[in-house]
Amino acid sequence: MGTWDTGHFDNDSAADFSWKVDEAPEAEREAVLREVLTFAAETSDYLDSDDGAFAVAAAALVASQCPGGEAVTTAYGPKKPLPVLTPELRPLAVRALDGVLGENSELHELWDESGDKAWAAGIARLKEVLSAATG
């Protein structure tokens, strides 16, 4: 995994996901996010690091539209604007992040082995924003 920092888009997989979002027609961008969030939320198998990174990036995009969410301003995020996302993506994003933080997640395993706590703190912040916006 090509990773250069702990941010939600600071790895090759998330940057590739941003490109995929940008390449989708505007009306299909929400579906791109929903697909990766659903996969991470519902998989009972081992969640590989790419799928985990996609889910984190998608959750960050959903959270950016929530009260208290941070705008995605990194050069590695999508360049094209997202439509207003449906609120039903918020609890799905929380479940996806739970999958990323689960015991069957390669991404979590890699960050845990690194000893760097900033990544997990960033995920916790995303979950707080998404959970608060869910109600």
Side-chain angles (χ1 to χ4, degrees), residues 6-126:
T6 59
H8 309 310
F9 292 89
D10 293 344
N11 60 77
D12 290 337
S13 298
D16 290 345
F17 176 73
S18 295
W19 179 83
K20 183 177 179 178
V21 172
D22 279 340
E23 289 300 303
E26 183 177 356
E28 296 175 22
R29 291 186 191 139
E30 181 171 323
V32 172
L33 274 62
R34 183 181 307 279
E35 179 182 356
V36 300
L37 292 171
T38 299
F39 183 81
E42 295 181 356
T43 190
S44 58
D45 296 330
Y46 193 69
L47 185 66
D48 75 28
S49 63
D50 288 337
D51 290 324
F54 297 160
V56 169
L61 292 171
V62 173
S64 74
Q65 293 188 3
C66 294
E70 296 179 21
V72 175
T73 58
T74 176
Y76 303 106
K79 309 288 186 265
K80 296 179 181 176
L82 289 174
V84 175
L85 302 171
T86 59
E88 68 186 35
L89 285 181
R90 296 168 183 175
L92 178 60
V94 171
R95 290 195 327 270
L97 292 175
D98 287 340
V100 170
L101 292 174
E103 63 184 42
N104 289 330
S105 169
E106 181 182 26
L107 189 60
H108 181 244
E109 184 179 302
L110 291 169
W111 279 108
D112 193 46
E113 288 174 0
S114 79
D116 190 321
K117 304 297 182 200
W119 177 81
I123 302 300
R125 173 74 179 126
L126 278 181

